[in-house]
Amino acid sequence: MAEATATRIPENLTAGGRRKRVRVNGSAVVMTAYLVFLMLPIYWLLNMSLKTNTEILSTFSLWPQNPTLANYATILTDPSWYMGYVNSLIYVGLNTVISVTVALPAAYAFSRYSFLGDKHLFFWLLTNRMAPPAVFALPFFQLYSSVGLFDTHIAVALAHCLFNVPLAVWILEGFMRGVPREIDETAYIDGYSFPRFFVKIFMPLIASGIGVAAFFCFMFSWVELLLSRTLTSVEAKPIAATMTRTVSASGLDWGVLAAAGVLTIVPGALVIWFVRNYIAKGFALGRV
Amino acid sequence: MEKTPNQKAWLLVLPVLVLVCFSAIIPLMTVVNYAFQDSFGNNQFFWAGLMWFEDLLASDRMWNALGRQVVFTGIILAIQVPLGVFVALHMPKKGPWVSVCLVLMALPLLIPWNVVGTIWQIFGRVDIGLLGYTFDKLGIPYNYTQDFFSAWATLIVMDVWHWTSLVALLAYAGLKSIPDAYYQAARIDQASRWKVFRYIELPKMAGVLTIAILLRFMDSFKIYTEPFVVTGGGPGNATTFLSIDLVKMALGQFDLGPAGAFSLMYFLVILAVSWVFYTVMVNLEKRES
C-alpha cells in the first residue's frame, strides 16, 4: 500500500518532505485498520466453519486446531440444505432476467425521450426501491396465495421485481445517458429498424451497463430474506430461510451454520472482481 | 442532453409499468383496504374509517418503535457518513492496491442480510465469538441478548461494518472525478489540508454524498433482517424497530387493520424524507451540468 500511495503523493498537496512520509503511513494505517475491521468477523465465520461443533464449544482458538471440511460435506450432501441454494439461485436468476429485460426499453425511453409524466414516473419507480418490504410482506402473501403461486420460485422472482426493476431502470438509464445520440441517428439513417438497432448496435455499446444492472439485481435478490421467507414454505424455500430456521432450533450446530454462511458469500465474492470499477455506480443507481 | 418529445416512448415503458403495478400497486391497495376496514373473520369486512389511524396515533407502541427507529437511523448516519468520507480520503488512488481495496470493501455489501446477522450473532457470543470472548476476558460486561446497551452497540457496530463501505465507495467515486488541476491550484495558493477538503473535495462530493445519505436513510429506516437475526427485537422491545414491529403485528398477530394503517404511515414517512433528498439530488445534478 505504501508503494501505491507514494506514487500519488507528488501530485498531492502536502508541502514538506517530512510531512509526506507521515501522510503515506497514515493512509496505509487507516486503510489497514478499516480492512481488518471488515475482515475480522468474516474470518471468524470461516474459522468456525472449519471446526467441528465439539471443538467450537469446548476450546477457544483463533484458528482451527484440526481443520475439517465435514460441515461443508454435511451441507452439500443433505438435500434440505443444498436445495436451499438451488431454490435461491433459481428465483434470483429468474428475477435478474425479468428485471433487466423489461428495464432495457424503459431505460432507453427515459434516457432519450421526454413524454407526458416521465419525471413523475421516474421518481415513482424510485419510491418502490424505498418501500419497506415489511409493508408488502402480508399483501404479497395473500396476493400470491390467491393466484396459486405461493411457494413457487416465480412468486419470489416477481415479488423481488418490486425493488429490482426500478433499480435496473435507474442503473441502465445512467449508462445510456453516456451514449451519444448521434449513434442512434446514424443507425436510423442507415436504415436500421428500432429493434434491430437496439439489439445489434445499442446493447453491445452498453454491455458493461447491462452487466452491472444484472449484477445488482442478482445481489439485491440474493441478500433479501423477508419476502422470500414469507412467500415460500417447502418447495421454493431459500437458503436464507433454511438458515434462520436452524437458528431457532435447539441444539444448534454452529459449524454447519457457519459453513452455510460462508457458502452464501461465495457467489458475490466471485463476481465482485469483474464489476469492481462499477460498484459505486451500481449502488448509486447509476447517478455517479 | 436534450431529449426529443415523443409520446410513443410510453410503449417502451409499458412492460415496466405493468410489472410494477402488479408488484406494487395491487399490494399497496390491499394495505389501504385493510387500513380503513375492520374484520371479524370469515372474510367479512366493515368500514372503519380513520379508527385505526386514531388508535395508532394514540398508541405508545407505534411511537416507541418510531422513536427507536429515528434514534438508530440518526446514530448510524452520524457515524457512517463521516467515517465513510474519512476512509475514502485515505484510499489509494492508483496502483494494484486500488482493486484490492475496492473488492475487500465491497465484500460486506454482498453478504445476505441474514448472514450478516448470523456473523455478528456468532462474533458477539461470549462463549464462542471473538468479540464477546475478548470483552469477557477483559472483564467488560457484554451480553447482547440480555443487556440493553450491548444490544444497541452490537447492532450499530454491525450496521457500520455492513454499510460504511457504501458511503466510502461513493465518496471515493466523487473524489476521483476531481481533476488534478484543482489540487495544483490549491498547492500554488498554499491552501491548508482542511481548506482543500472544505472548498474542493467536499463540494465535489456533495452530489454523491446526497445519494449516499438518501440510500443509507431509506435502507436503515426499513432495516429488518439483521436485528431480527441478532436480537429478535429484544431484550424486551429494546431493538424492535419499525419493520420488526410491523411484521410482528401483520404476520404474527394478524391484526390486519392496525398493520395496514401502520404500513401506510411508515411508507409515507419514508416517501416524504426521500422526496426531499431526491429534490436536492436533482438540483445538484442540474447545477453540475
Side-chain angles (χ1 to χ4, degrees):
Chain A
M1 187 164 296
E3 252 180 53
T5 32
T7 51
R8 98 185 146 90
I9 288 308
E11 63 205 26
N12 217 321
L13 15 118
T14 37
R18 228 187 98 63
R19 280 183 64 202
K20 267 182 211 170
R21 279 203 85 84
V22 175
R23 257 188 68 75
V24 170
N25 295 338
S27 287
V29 168
V30 168
M31 280 317 291
T32 314
Y34 182 64
L35 290 178
V36 166
F37 167 61
L38 292 187
M39 289 307 124
L40 214 52
I42 300 179
Y43 167 72
W44 199 250
L45 190 75
L46 190 66
N47 174 20
M48 295 236 319
S49 75
L50 296 171
K51 294 177 178 177
T52 59
N53 210 29
T54 3
E55 191 186 335
I56 293 171
L57 294 174
S58 60
T59 49
F60 187 88
S61 57
L62 290 177
W63 52 86
Q65 305 295 315
N66 307 299
T68 167
L69 290 173
N71 297 320
Y72 292 94
T74 311
I75 290 172
L76 296 174
T77 51
D78 181 356
S80 69
W81 271 110
Y82 70 73
M83 279 316 284
Y85 288 99
V86 176
N87 289 331
S88 289
L89 285 173
I90 293 176
Y91 72 70
V92 169
L94 275 173
N95 172 270
T96 306
V97 172
I98 297 174
S99 303
V100 174
T101 314
V102 299
L104 271 169
Y108 183 79
F110 283 120
S111 75
R112 290 294 190 264
Y113 303 122
S114 66
F115 47 95
L116 196 64
D118 54 351
K119 291 197 179 66
H120 300 108
L121 192 61
F122 205 53
F123 176 68
W124 176 64
L125 281 176
L126 183 72
T127 64
N128 292 307
R129 165 72 178 76
M130 299 165 191
V135 168
F136 286 85
L138 180 68
F140 271 149
F141 173 73
Q142 295 184 318
L143 175 67
Y144 289 112
S145 300
S146 66
V147 292
L149 282 176
F150 178 71
D151 203 15
T152 58
H153 301 103
I154 191 76
V156 185
L158 285 175
H160 283 179
C161 283
L162 172 71
F163 45 84
N164 269 353
V165 167
L167 182 82
V169 171
W170 274 62
I171 292 179
L172 287 170
E173 198 267 347
F175 276 92
M176 287 176 183
R177 273 196 303 188
V179 178
R181 298 185 62 91
E182 286 72 30
I183 291 177
D184 309 30
E185 281 149 19
T186 319
Y188 293 138
I189 292 168
D190 287 351
Y192 276 88
S193 66
F194 175 71
R196 213 164 88 89
F197 152 74
F198 199 80
V199 176
K200 289 267 174 191
I201 297 178
F202 197 70
M203 278 172 57
L205 279 176
I206 52 152
S208 52
I210 297 176
V212 172
F215 171 75
F216 278 89
C217 289
F218 179 91
M219 205 198 77
F220 278 106
S221 182
W222 180 253
V223 299
E224 207 277 338
L225 169 77
L226 178 56
L227 292 178
S228 57
R229 192 191 54 178
T230 312
L231 291 176
T232 56
S233 61
V234 186
E235 289 300 312
K237 189 160 102 178
I239 182 62
T242 316
M243 282 182 68
T244 42
R245 275 169 212 195
T246 322
V247 172
S248 56
S250 57
L252 143 82
D253 194 337
W254 291 105
V256 176
L257 185 69
V262 171
L263 287 177
T264 62
I265 304 177
V266 171
L270 283 181
V271 192
I272 188 66
W273 181 259
F274 300 103
V275 293
R276 64 183 182 280
N277 293 321
Y278 295 106
I279 302 167
K281 196 174 172 89
F283 271 108
L285 306 160
R287 304 297 101 183
V288 172
Chain B
M1 187 194 307
E2 275 300 297
K3 293 179 183 175
T4 6
N6 181 355
Q7 299 305 331
K8 277 188 202 146
W10 266 101
L11 291 176
L12 296 173
V13 189
L14 203 62
V16 163
L17 210 60
V18 172
L19 194 63
V20 180
C21 277
F22 184 70
S23 62
I25 304 271
I26 297 178
L28 203 58
M29 286 321 291
T30 322
V31 174
V32 173
N33 224 359
Y34 289 141
F36 292 100
Q37 296 188 70
D38 196 2
S39 168
F40 302 106
N42 294 332
N43 259 334
Q44 286 181 312
F45 285 93
F46 303 93
W47 177 253
L50 291 175
M51 184 174 85
W52 298 126
F53 292 92
E54 281 158 12
D55 280 5
L56 200 65
L57 288 176
S59 84
D60 286 344
R61 177 176 171 177
M62 195 277 290
W63 288 111
N64 288 339
L66 183 65
R68 284 188 285 266
Q69 186 70 69
V70 170
V71 171
F72 180 75
T73 299
I75 292 178
I76 64 132
L77 279 178
I79 298 176
Q80 288 179 0
V81 175
L83 183 62
V85 172
F86 179 72
V87 169
L89 287 171
H90 287 92
M91 273 179 78
K93 288 197 174 127
K94 282 188 195 129
W97 287 106
V98 175
S99 297
V100 175
C101 284
L102 284 176
V103 168
L104 288 181
M105 283 169 66
L107 207 54
L109 303 171
L110 310 175
I111 299 177
W113 297 338
N114 70 306
V115 179
V116 171
T118 310
I119 287 177
W120 282 88
Q121 188 193 24
I122 294 175
F123 200 56
R125 277 182 70 102
V126 179
D127 51 347
I128 58 172
L130 185 58
L131 184 73
Y133 187 83
T134 313
F135 277 153
D136 195 43
K137 286 292 159 221
L138 292 175
I140 301 168
Y142 172 82
N143 185 338
Y144 64 80
T145 52
Q146 309 279 322
D147 177 46
F148 174 87
F149 182 74
S150 305
W152 268 79
T154 309
L155 291 184
I156 286 166
V157 173
M158 175 176 72
D159 206 76
V160 168
W161 177 83
H162 191 183
W163 289 109
T164 303
S165 293
L166 174 66
V167 183
L169 289 169
L170 290 178
Y172 179 67
L175 281 178
K176 270 213 315 198
S177 69
I178 303 176
D180 282 342
Y182 283 52
Y183 289 117
Q184 282 157 9
R187 202 163 41 184
I188 291 167
D189 291 347
Q190 302 211 317
S192 67
R193 182 73 194 85
W194 165 252
K195 287 235 163 99
V196 170
F197 175 72
R198 173 66 189 79
Y199 295 104
I200 297 180
E201 292 174 332
L202 201 59
K204 276 284 172 182
M205 282 193 290
V208 278
L209 280 183
T210 320
I211 301 173
I213 295 172
L214 169 69
L215 288 171
R216 282 316 302 132
F217 164 76
M218 62 197 204
D219 286 343
S220 69
F221 219 75
K222 60 189 197 188
I223 191 167
Y224 170 80
T225 312
E226 299 95 318
F228 170 76
V229 173
V230 177
T231 63
N237 276 331
T239 55
T240 304
F241 301 122
L242 286 174
S243 276
I244 295 184
D245 207 18
L246 178 57
V247 171
K248 253 186 217 167
M249 203 187 268
L251 294 171
Q253 303 157 346
F254 237 70
D255 284 336
L256 299 182
F262 194 139
S263 297
L264 283 186
M265 296 177 79
Y266 186 8
F267 197 21
L268 284 178
V269 170
I270 292 200
L271 210 60
V273 179
S274 300
W275 187 79
V276 173
F277 278 112
Y278 177 77
T279 317
V280 173
M281 191 173 104
V282 170
N283 285 339
L284 279 173
E285 262 180 23
K286 259 188 213 150
R287 209 194 301 161
E288 268 172 31
S289 60

